[in-house]
Amino acid sequence: MTAYVVGGGMIKMGRHHDSSYVGLAAPAVLEALAVAGISLSEVGSVACGHSFGGPLVGQRIMSRLGGGHVPVTNIDNACSSGGTALRTAIQDVESGRVDIALAIGVDSLTQFGKGTLPLPEADIETESGLVMPALYAMRARRFLHERGATVSDLAAVSVKNRKHGSINPYAQFSSEVTEEQVLSSRPVADPLTLLQCCPTGDGAAATIVVSEAVRRRLGGPAVKVIASVLHSGEYEGGYRDMLSPQISAASAKDAYEMAGVGPEDIDMVELHDAFTIAELVYYETLGLCEQGEAVPFLRSGATTYGGSVVVNPSGGLLSRGHPVGATGMAQVVEAFWQLTKQAGPRQVEGATMAMTHVTGGGIAGLDHGACSIHILESA
Amino acid sequence: MTAYVVGGGMIKMGRHHDSSYVGLAAPAVLEALAVAGISLSEVGSVACGHSFGGPLVGQRIMSRLGGGHVPVTNIDNACSSGGTALRTAIQDVESGRVDIALAIGVDSLTQFGKGTLPLPEADIETESGLVMPALYAMRARRFLHERGATVSDLAAVSVKNRKHGSINPYAQFSSEVTEEQVLSSRPVADPLTLLQCCPTGDGAAATIVVSEAVRRRLGGPAVKVIASVLHSGEYEGGYRDMLSPQISAASAKDAYEMAGVGPEDIDMVELHDAFTIAELVYYETLGLCEQGEAVPFLRSGATTYGGSVVVNPSGGLLSRGHPVGATGMAQVVEAFWQLTKQAGPRQVEGATMAMTHVTGGGIAGLDHGACSIHILESA
């Protein structure tokens, strides 16, 4: 059976120090329901993706909104929690078990103060003292070495995504930055500077996933799910090619197969640009350009407005922020808005097919981790 | 499509201070696979229920065992995490998406030292200072008042379940206790004494869920899933009947309907006896006896060996312990052993149908919470 996204909602990401998980998520859920034209009592199941909310976040949200009783499953797949929650909601609908599923992504990182994310203690890389910015910096170093690229090429990703984000009212950062500002910002892990790292913050997003029958009854804007993929990774000892993230590559391959489309069919992508280097690597991994061509691809303007595939029209993690469990869901809400022509000044002209991509754990999924990719099409 | 449990594994529950989540779960997973006669590479999806393991527990387990790549979903539904993970695995198989799903339940509570569980901060009852033993003590007080029962009736639950657990090599407690010992143990929250509260500890359990076709190919012992239910609760203000837990009642009603059977068909039940009072309340809630008849039902011997429905043949949470995410899965492994006549000295004679029941959050589910019930039948 086919599943459709018929509603999406999101709050402005940022530092909401005084908000509980219920407070963050409730407006996003209510907006998604209103957009879909569905009441809370019609929801048949709930999948809630979050990493740091403690017990029964989804149940607390539903209870406070007055929509208890339904099966609620809380899902933690680190940075892929939002994407995994969407997949669970899609599976609920595709299996015929329910006609209307609610998927929520929410997290609050300001509860931890500032700094990088806590990593799993038993992760072999964490055991070696490697935190996320350090891992991505190693990857960036390798990239510069192999490709003869420069730090200016890295900075160009921030310049592009902050420009996209500057017209996104839901983004944590709403200002543009120049290459000079990016490169002269505080060093975090050489060659990555502060403005090349996504901010931590709080946020929430929600989508409504329905069956073909419900979609026809509602008759409003809808987006068809043509691929929904989740992968984990294996530990690989010895030499590992940091520029070929196995887990994202495998997920992309499966997603294209499932959808019966190729990278050339995709009009816009929301991908996991936790750091500038990540976007360049994923251009190649997701097949948006040839291996080794990421820098000229970016420099050509292909991935901004007017290009062949607009990457992170929302501004991506670098602008919107990265409230872990919320990110994958926010990407899908952006894709829903774009494919239903509701993206306002951020509208990607003529967009009919979108990909969303989140990945987390280990060194961006070379080791154990979780990657979730969805492909969506205008319905 | 129908789903079958064809393998189960468990470690001895207890205080495993030096074990990681991977270390706890790996032996249970390997045992479940061995029992089923399935190799790790045949597993098509993994659902891992845990509450306190941090990011990507399921991925870490699979990675270290050498079984990466597959979709792994980590699920946290508090005390119902194990039951919810099983439900997700069953849905994966019933939807035809995969033929073989692995469900894991694991948690380590010794990481928190001793004492009661952390509760969600936004829970209205926690905000009022009510922790689990206090909540159950209130329920016990009400029960004694309404039913004219005595503390001796409460203690009889511990006496029965510790007797059952004394011959369960996987139980945290392996000794019997007398009524006098129960009542003279340290007071925790009047009228509940220490030996009326389940211990905290560490543990893991795993099951293999397969399709009809795989079950036929394997040809080994199998148990058919005839009901798999998950419910959440709504916040109810004002007077609430603490002896009628709405969430468990609704789950039981749905489960009986789904299975097309009644309480009289059930030969054994593993239920959520986190405290003695809970078992008495759930006798009635699950329909094992009439409303108001829990004490005479227990006293008649109906719920121990030789009775009409053996409740907690494993010894229940009071004996086996309650490593949160592991509990629901351990119940199902016990049911698998019982229904496939592999329970050794704990064998419930002639058992062909079993129910498992976990519930968590708020006041045992009167407020928001999660309850999962499964009904299994010899295949």
Side-chain angles (χ1 to χ4, degrees), chain A residues 330-347:
Chain A
Q331 293 177 330
V332 174
V333 175
E334 178 72 19
F336 173 76
W337 286 335
Q338 293 283 353
L339 297 181
T340 56
K341 314 284 177 273
Q342 302 180 71
R346 295 191 315 291
Q347 186 63 48

mmCIF file of all heavy atoms in Angstrom, chain A residues 330-347:
data_model
loop_
_atom_site.group_PDB
_atom_site.id
_atom_site.type_symbol
_atom_site.label_atom_id
_atom_site.label_comp_id
_atom_site.label_asym_id
_atom_site.label_seq_id
_atom_site.Cartn_x
_atom_site.Cartn_y
_atom_site.Cartn_z
ATOM 1 N N ALA A 330 11.966 17.654 10.347
ATOM 2 C CA ALA A 330 11.963 19.006 9.771
ATOM 3 C C ALA A 330 12.312 18.950 8.286
ATOM 4 O O ALA A 330 11.752 19.696 7.474
ATOM 5 C CB ALA A 330 12.951 19.898 10.523
ATOM 6 N N GLN A 331 13.234 18.065 7.916
ATOM 7 C CA GLN A 331 13.585 17.912 6.500
ATOM 8 C C GLN A 331 12.359 17.513 5.679
ATOM 9 O O GLN A 331 12.143 18.018 4.574
ATOM 10 C CB GLN A 331 14.643 16.813 6.331
ATOM 11 C CG GLN A 331 15.997 17.132 6.914
ATOM 12 C CD GLN A 331 16.959 15.954 6.751
ATOM 13 O OE1 GLN A 331 16.524 14.792 6.731
ATOM 14 N NE2 GLN A 331 18.245 16.239 6.640
ATOM 15 N N VAL A 332 11.569 16.602 6.231
ATOM 16 C CA VAL A 332 10.399 16.102 5.495
ATOM 17 C C VAL A 332 9.318 17.175 5.417
ATOM 18 O O VAL A 332 8.626 17.300 4.399
ATOM 19 C CB VAL A 332 9.858 14.813 6.151
ATOM 20 C CG1 VAL A 332 8.573 14.361 5.485
ATOM 21 C CG2 VAL A 332 10.918 13.721 6.057
ATOM 22 N N VAL A 333 9.178 17.955 6.477
ATOM 23 C CA VAL A 333 8.210 19.055 6.429
ATOM 24 C C VAL A 333 8.636 20.062 5.361
ATOM 25 O O VAL A 333 7.816 20.539 4.570
ATOM 26 C CB VAL A 333 8.067 19.727 7.814
ATOM 27 C CG1 VAL A 333 7.156 20.950 7.725
ATOM 28 C CG2 VAL A 333 7.513 18.736 8.830
ATOM 29 N N GLU A 334 9.928 20.375 5.284
ATOM 30 C CA GLU A 334 10.428 21.272 4.227
ATOM 31 C C GLU A 334 10.118 20.689 2.843
ATOM 32 O O GLU A 334 9.639 21.392 1.952
ATOM 33 C CB GLU A 334 11.944 21.483 4.376
ATOM 34 C CG GLU A 334 12.579 22.360 3.298
ATOM 35 C CD GLU A 334 12.218 23.842 3.417
ATOM 36 O OE1 GLU A 334 11.787 24.260 4.500
ATOM 37 O OE2 GLU A 334 12.354 24.566 2.399
ATOM 38 N N ALA A 335 10.360 19.391 2.683
ATOM 39 C CA ALA A 335 10.074 18.746 1.393
ATOM 40 C C ALA A 335 8.581 18.797 1.082
ATOM 41 O O ALA A 335 8.182 19.035 -0.069
ATOM 42 C CB ALA A 335 10.572 17.298 1.414
ATOM 43 N N PHE A 336 7.756 18.606 2.115
ATOM 44 C CA PHE A 336 6.297 18.682 1.927
ATOM 45 C C PHE A 336 5.898 20.075 1.445
ATOM 46 O O PHE A 336 5.129 20.228 0.490
ATOM 47 C CB PHE A 336 5.588 18.334 3.243
ATOM 48 C CG PHE A 336 4.094 18.552 3.218
ATOM 49 C CD1 PHE A 336 3.253 17.664 2.557
ATOM 50 C CD2 PHE A 336 3.525 19.652 3.854
ATOM 51 C CE1 PHE A 336 1.876 17.869 2.537
ATOM 52 C CE2 PHE A 336 2.153 19.857 3.839
ATOM 53 C CZ PHE A 336 1.326 18.966 3.178
ATOM 54 N N TRP A 337 6.435 21.089 2.103
ATOM 55 C CA TRP A 337 6.124 22.464 1.695
ATOM 56 C C TRP A 337 6.589 22.723 0.260
ATOM 57 O O TRP A 337 5.881 23.330 -0.533
ATOM 58 C CB TRP A 337 6.807 23.456 2.644
ATOM 59 C CG TRP A 337 6.163 23.558 3.995
ATOM 60 C CD1 TRP A 337 4.855 23.281 4.313
ATOM 61 C CD2 TRP A 337 6.791 23.960 5.220
ATOM 62 N NE1 TRP A 337 4.639 23.495 5.662
ATOM 63 C CE2 TRP A 337 5.797 23.918 6.241
ATOM 64 C CE3 TRP A 337 8.070 24.349 5.572
ATOM 65 C CZ2 TRP A 337 6.064 24.252 7.561
ATOM 66 C CZ3 TRP A 337 8.344 24.700 6.895
ATOM 67 C CH2 TRP A 337 7.349 24.640 7.878
ATOM 68 N N GLN A 338 7.793 22.280 -0.052
ATOM 69 C CA GLN A 338 8.350 22.533 -1.394
ATOM 70 C C GLN A 338 7.522 21.822 -2.469
ATOM 71 O O GLN A 338 7.188 22.410 -3.495
ATOM 72 C CB GLN A 338 9.805 22.052 -1.462
ATOM 73 C CG GLN A 338 10.785 22.848 -0.591
ATOM 74 C CD GLN A 338 11.156 24.197 -1.198
ATOM 75 O OE1 GLN A 338 10.799 24.510 -2.334
ATOM 76 N NE2 GLN A 338 11.876 25.002 -0.418
ATOM 77 N N LEU A 339 7.206 20.562 -2.228
ATOM 78 C CA LEU A 339 6.524 19.777 -3.270
ATOM 79 C C LEU A 339 5.045 20.147 -3.391
ATOM 80 O O LEU A 339 4.406 19.825 -4.393
ATOM 81 C CB LEU A 339 6.667 18.273 -2.979
ATOM 82 C CG LEU A 339 8.098 17.726 -3.008
ATOM 83 C CD1 LEU A 339 8.093 16.222 -2.740
ATOM 84 C CD2 LEU A 339 8.788 18.024 -4.334
ATOM 85 N N THR A 340 4.507 20.828 -2.381
ATOM 86 C CA THR A 340 3.110 21.280 -2.471
ATOM 87 C C THR A 340 3.050 22.790 -2.713
ATOM 88 O O THR A 340 2.005 23.408 -2.514
ATOM 89 C CB THR A 340 2.313 20.916 -1.199
ATOM 90 O OG1 THR A 340 2.992 21.477 -0.057
ATOM 91 C CG2 THR A 340 2.212 19.411 -1.026
ATOM 92 N N LYS A 341 4.197 23.346 -3.116
ATOM 93 C CA LYS A 341 4.270 24.769 -3.522
ATOM 94 C C LYS A 341 3.839 25.712 -2.414
ATOM 95 O O LYS A 341 3.136 26.699 -2.641
ATOM 96 C CB LYS A 341 3.397 25.016 -4.770
ATOM 97 C CG LYS A 341 3.556 23.969 -5.895
ATOM 98 C CD LYS A 341 4.830 24.163 -6.669
ATOM 99 C CE LYS A 341 5.048 23.099 -7.745
ATOM 100 N NZ LYS A 341 5.751 21.881 -7.225
ATOM 101 N N GLN A 342 4.254 25.378 -1.187
ATOM 102 C CA GLN A 342 3.897 26.237 -0.049
ATOM 103 C C GLN A 342 5.143 26.791 0.637
ATOM 104 O O GLN A 342 5.092 27.153 1.813
ATOM 105 C CB GLN A 342 3.091 25.431 0.983
ATOM 106 C CG GLN A 342 1.819 24.804 0.428
ATOM 107 C CD GLN A 342 1.055 24.018 1.486
ATOM 108 O OE1 GLN A 342 0.467 24.581 2.396
ATOM 109 N NE2 GLN A 342 1.070 22.703 1.377
ATOM 110 N N ALA A 343 6.278 26.826 -0.098
ATOM 111 C CA ALA A 343 7.528 27.215 0.545
ATOM 112 C C ALA A 343 7.796 28.716 0.456
ATOM 113 O O ALA A 343 8.856 29.195 0.877
ATOM 114 C CB ALA A 343 8.696 26.418 -0.042
ATOM 115 N N GLY A 344 6.860 29.458 -0.073
ATOM 116 C CA GLY A 344 6.992 30.922 -0.106
ATOM 117 C C GLY A 344 8.269 31.361 -0.807
ATOM 118 O O GLY A 344 8.589 30.840 -1.888
ATOM 119 N N PRO A 345 9.006 32.282 -0.204
ATOM 120 C CA PRO A 345 10.213 32.804 -0.864
ATOM 121 C C PRO A 345 11.295 31.739 -1.062
ATOM 122 O O PRO A 345 12.216 31.950 -1.848
ATOM 123 C CB PRO A 345 10.703 33.898 0.094
ATOM 124 C CG PRO A 345 10.019 33.644 1.401
ATOM 125 C CD PRO A 345 8.733 32.962 1.066
ATOM 126 N N ARG A 346 11.190 30.612 -0.354
ATOM 127 C CA ARG A 346 12.189 29.543 -0.499
ATOM 128 C C ARG A 346 11.791 28.538 -1.585
ATOM 129 O O ARG A 346 12.488 27.546 -1.799
ATOM 130 C CB ARG A 346 12.353 28.744 0.794
ATOM 131 C CG ARG A 346 12.915 29.492 1.956
ATOM 132 C CD ARG A 346 13.302 28.598 3.112
ATOM 133 N NE ARG A 346 12.315 27.568 3.455
ATOM 134 C CZ ARG A 346 11.127 27.816 4.002
ATOM 135 N NH1 ARG A 346 10.747 29.046 4.239
ATOM 136 N NH2 ARG A 346 10.297 26.833 4.311
ATOM 137 N N GLN A 347 10.650 28.777 -2.246
ATOM 138 C CA GLN A 347 10.138 27.794 -3.197
ATOM 139 C C GLN A 347 11.175 27.436 -4.273
ATOM 140 O O GLN A 347 11.707 28.302 -4.946
ATOM 141 C CB GLN A 347 8.875 28.332 -3.872
ATOM 142 C CG GLN A 347 8.193 27.320 -4.782
ATOM 143 C CD GLN A 347 7.681 26.091 -4.016
ATOM 144 O OE1 GLN A 347 7.035 26.208 -2.990
ATOM 145 N NE2 GLN A 347 8.024 24.908 -4.505
#
